Amino acid sequence: MPGRRAAAAAMIAVLAASALAACSAPVAVEREKPADAGVQLFQRPWTSIAEDCEQVIGPAGFAWVLTSPPQEHIAGTQWWTSYQPVSYRVDSKLGTEAEFADMVTRCAAVGVDVIADAVVNHMAGIDGGTGVADTAFTHYSYPGLYEEGDFHHCGLTPDDDIADYSSREQVQTCELSNLADLDTSSPTVRETIAGYLRHLRDLGVAGFRIDAAKHMAAEDVQAIVDLLPEDTIIMSEVIRGSGWEPVQPEEYVGAGKVFEFQYARDLGPGLKAGVITDPALGTEPTFARPLHVPNADAVVFVDNHDTERGEAAVTYRDGGLYLIANALMLADDYGTPVVYSGYAFSDRDAGAPQDADGRVTGWTCAGVTGPRDEYADGEGVCTEAWTAIAGLLELRRVAADAPRLPGIGDGDVYGFEREGRALLLVNPSTADAAATVPVGLPDGDYCDVISGGAGAVTSGGCAGATVTVTGGNVTADVPAEGAVALHSGARLP
Ligand code: AAO
């Protein structure tokens, strides 16, 4: 792909000038900050997540796992049935309440919190039926929970569906794709939702992704959160819309963190076109970047279950570029990163593999060490099991609060330093490249944690490639569509 290489080289050439001033004296003391990164395990059953926590996620050093919605939902083979609740019974195609509770306990035992996807803006989008745990319902009637008067009937569009995102009233009181829209201004609705979420907290979850938060007034989200224990972690999904959209993520930061969609938009399309744009870096105390919420409020991701079904994001289909995107995110100091792990698909609607009863069967990540060129439909991607991801999580802990310096480059290679503690170099081109760049790490031999993973320094040397820093410069061979990463905890004695 010559266009990509030429573009990358041009961009990096521009960036190199600012890099020379960016070096700093090495720091002797390494501070390990507590793990902060999470992984979204899309459509993974509870028994499968429990096993993954013990075998992969805990050992790799993830702090939390985001699950798909745990409540009862409409029947059907598509993945998105999970987003049409019919009751708040914790009984779904992903498992029973007992399995859910067991997962939470087993993940906690290896230091991994569980964040559950909370679908509370709406109920089902179909006329009626029987849910997967046998609850009979109609569009606006859910026994023991909600009746007609608990829903918005906006009367602003012919079918009460949102037609115009420039209207706050439509976005927040009409229906998203015909999904029966709960009137979250109602105290009884708020209390019913909070009761469900408190039940999940009683089962041990640490917090929630608030699905479709944009479609609830920020004050409604806040009022529901106020009914939860104070230490509940909140991550609201408010897709940053075009500038003309009145509802933007900034409104929701009072209730917790928000997913910052702009981060992935800046990263993905450029990377696929061969251009890595060096982000405008903010300074303390917020490290805000243009068009981004402040650092402490942001959850960042390369892709999620919606964007991997769109055109723009870098996804598992992009092989090495996907690894590069994850490396750029995990080595950076902006936001709380969440790595995405789903399954391969060619049909947007196709659910994860399931048995005759509609239960998702799950998969194991044993033996997975990196991205592959080909996946069969339904095969788990297991991003969390990649050797490089564990290495990057280790780099992140060692880098701790060391600032991310402006980008540096040499030819096709682009990278950045976490001042004095760590360095990431990526090569988005289709040819291997050798690069020499200035770096503030002490002279010595380092083990590359992309090829060597966490704990790359072994008694016999390096589990991966060895990279040498000498006289304030590092020279490294960076594989095509690959990366090299060093940190001060992976220096050979
Ligand atoms: C299914 C069927 C429907 C049927 C419905 C009811 O597909 O045909 O009508 O059932 O029977 C998921 C699936 C849906 C599924 C639904 C329910 O994706 O296909 O519907 O479950 O089963 C908006 C929301 C956002 C939402 C997103 C999909 O704001 O909250 O739409 N995401 C969450 C979940 C998602 C889930 C739901 C919500 C519902 O993550 O998986 O749906 O629980 C603009 C707006 C966004 C808007 C998008 C899409 O975004 O800003 O707010 O998201 O448009 O309409 C650029 C632009 C950006 C634009 C974006 C996307 O990036 O800059 O502004 O493109 O186009």
Side-chain angles (χ1 to χ4, degrees):
M1 203 182 290
R4 171 193 286 169
R5 290 181 57 193
M11 176 57 64
I12 289 159
V14 170
L15 296 170
S18 64
L20 294 166
C23 301
S24 63
V27 280
V29 185
E30 278 147 28
R31 275 164 288 176
E32 287 245 334
K33 90 167 173 181
D36 67 336
V39 55
Q40 177 183 358
L41 297 185
F42 177 61
Q43 290 292 306
R44 193 88 67 93
W46 316 142
T47 51
S48 183
I49 293 181
E51 188 185 290
D52 209 38
C53 271
E54 292 168 347
Q55 294 176 2
V56 177
I57 297 169
F62 283 104
W64 49 279
V65 49
L66 168 60
T67 73
S68 283
Q71 88 295 317
E72 183 184 4
H73 50 80
I74 63 166
T77 57
Q78 304 89 339
W79 62 266
W80 44 253
T81 59
S82 291
Y83 290 90
Q84 298 197 38
V86 307
S87 84
Y88 292 145
R89 292 180 60 188
V90 181
D91 195 351
S92 71
K93 62 178 154 186
L94 299 174
T96 63
E97 179 163 320
E99 288 166 342
F100 186 85
D102 181 59
M103 165 192 74
V104 174
T105 305
R106 287 166 63 189
C107 289
V110 291
V112 178
D113 281 341
V114 171
I115 306 287
D117 200 346
V119 185
V120 296
N121 168 67
H122 53 260
M123 299 297 281
I126 57 178
D127 290 343
T130 304
V132 294
D134 292 333
T135 301
F137 67 96
T138 62
H139 200 187
Y140 300 113
S141 173
Y142 301 84
L145 285 182
Y146 305 117
E147 294 303 332
E148 179 98 22
D150 295 317
F151 293 91
H152 282 134
H153 304 278
C154 72
L156 299 169
T157 58
D159 52 5
D160 278 355
D161 268 15
I162 299 166
D164 178 7
Y165 272 80
S166 73
S167 160
R168 173 182 294 268
E169 204 183 351
Q170 279 194 32
V171 169
Q172 297 189 331
T173 66
C174 294
E175 296 181 349
L176 170 64
S177 306
N178 201 44
L179 297 158
D181 197 63
L182 285 163
D183 175 7
T184 46
S185 69
S186 149
T188 56
V189 169
R190 288 174 177 175
E191 181 48 41
T192 305
I193 290 171
Y196 162 53
L197 300 181
R198 283 194 302 262
H199 177 57
L200 292 177
R201 290 249 27 209
D202 289 344
L203 295 177
V205 312
F208 307 102
R209 167 189 186 266
I210 307 291
D211 179 70
K214 180 190 276 187
H215 304 281
M216 295 179 271
E219 64 179 273
D220 296 356
V221 173
Q222 183 68 59
I224 294 163
V225 170
D226 287 345
L227 297 170
L228 305 178
E230 228 170 87
D231 61 350
T232 305
I233 296 167
I234 298 294
M235 305 176 181
S236 295
E237 186 231 10
V238 186
I239 298 178
R240 186 179 287 287
S242 311
W244 47 260
E245 278 197 38
V247 188
Q248 296 291 352
E250 279 74 8
E251 289 181 25
Y252 294 80
V253 298
K257 294 181 191 291
V258 295
F259 288 85
E260 179 49 89
F261 280 69
Q262 192 59 37
Y263 179 85
R265 287 179 193 152
D266 288 350
L267 185 64
L271 194 53
K272 288 213 264 193
V275 180
I276 300 174
T277 310
D278 207 36
L281 303 177
T283 51
E284 289 186 83
T286 63
F287 296 103
R289 300 179 185 195
L291 259 180
H292 290 55
V293 295
N295 192 354
D297 299 324
V299 180
V300 291
F301 53 94
V302 171
D303 60 337
N304 69 17
H305 64 282
D306 287 332
T307 67
E308 76 165 341
R309 287 170 170 74
E311 292 298 313
V314 186
T315 72
Y316 76 90
R317 291 191 170 90
D318 296 302
L321 288 186
Y322 193 44
L323 194 155
I324 288 179
N326 276 286
L328 289 167
M329 172 177 76
L330 290 170
D332 210 327
D333 69 352
Y334 175 70
T336 299
V338 55
V339 169
Y340 177 72
S341 182
Y343 55 87
F345 60 92
S346 43
D347 169 6
R348 179 215 182 255
D349 295 329
Q354 45 204 268
D355 65 19
D357 296 327
R359 302 243 159 204
V360 174
T361 46
W363 53 89
T364 165
C365 292
V368 176
T369 56
R372 277 182 255 170
D373 290 335
E374 300 284 335
Y375 293 88
D377 277 358
E379 194 176 356
V381 175
C382 289
T383 325
E384 71 276 23
W386 295 356
T387 303
I389 297 286
L392 288 157
L393 292 175
E394 183 183 74
L395 178 152
R396 209 176 154 75
R397 292 191 294 275
V398 172
D401 55 359
R404 181 239 209 251
L405 301 182
I408 45 184
D410 182 10
D412 284 339
V413 174
Y414 165 86
F416 58 84
E417 178 179 338
R418 294 292 298 274
E419 192 168 10
R421 300 217 187 114
L423 175 77
L424 171 70
L425 296 174
V426 303
N427 173 13
S429 82
T430 50
D432 295 349
T436 300
V437 294
V439 69
L441 273 78
D443 283 4
D445 288 334
Y446 292 79
C447 295
D448 164 36
V449 299
I450 298 286
S451 52
V457 181
T458 65
S459 52
C462 282
T466 304
V467 181
T468 303
V469 174
T470 174
N473 283 298
V474 60
T475 299
D477 293 317
V478 190
E481 297 196 345
V484 164
L486 333 173
H487 63 72
S488 50
R491 186 178 171 198
L492 286 171

